[in-house]
Amino acid sequence: VQLQASGGGLVQPGGSLRLSCAASGSIRSIGTMAWYRQAPTKQRELAAAITDSGSTDYADSVKDRFIISRDIARNTVSLQMNSLKPEDTATYYCNVEGTRYYGSRFNAWGQGTLVTVSS
């Protein structure tokens, strides 16, 4: 299973960015899809997650600013980031859990996309 993330870049404080991540390969079903982020010198942390039933979870620091969504038919997950702050600067990684066609579970990570919030 491979994940391809896109959408990072440089944005001014208060601006918006949308990240997308597409999963491909031998996928029978997908469970939770998530975005993690890692700022320089800090540990990777969960930013947002969405389950297969559509339930969402957000880090307190991004609540009311970020929106996670998924397209089940296309095996994609997106993160709409609004009102961005300099402290949102990080490399963002998508993470997907699921089951392959032949039954084994997988937990895949995308390659990371850099988001820089700066004036």
Side-chain angles (χ1 to χ4, degrees):
V1 175
Q2 299 82 39
L3 303 185
Q4 182 65 48
S6 61
L10 173 64
V11 64
Q12 293 186 340
S16 298
L17 276 178
R18 184 177 180 86
L19 307 182
S20 294
C21 177
S24 62
S26 177
I27 300 171
R28 185 175 73 183
S29 63
I30 290 180
T32 298
M33 307 180 85
W35 287 94
Y36 287 76
R37 65 183 186 179
Q38 187 167 18
T41 74
K42 293 188 176 180
Q43 290 188 333
R44 190 173 298 187
E45 63 174 4
L46 177 68
I50 184 167
T51 68
D52 53 354
S53 63
S55 297
T56 57
D57 186 30
Y58 295 94
D60 288 343
S61 58
V62 308
K63 279 181 182 176
D64 300 323
R65 299 188 297 122
F66 290 11
I67 301 172
I68 189 170
S69 61
R70 63 190 286 170
D71 184 329
I72 295 175
R74 298 182 179 181
N75 290 340
T76 60
V77 59
S78 297
L79 186 67
Q80 178 66 41
M81 304 184 294
N82 302 317
S83 303
L84 283 161
K85 305 175 181 179
E87 50 263 43
D88 294 318
T89 295
T91 298
Y92 285 71
Y93 299 88
C94 58
N95 174 262
V96 175
E97 300 176 340
T99 304
R100 296 184 179 88
Y101 277 120
Y102 44 88
S104 65
R105 298 282 300 172
F106 69 86
N107 186 310
W109 290 89
Q111 81 279 16
T113 183
L114 179 63
V115 172
T116 303
V117 185
S118 175
S119 55

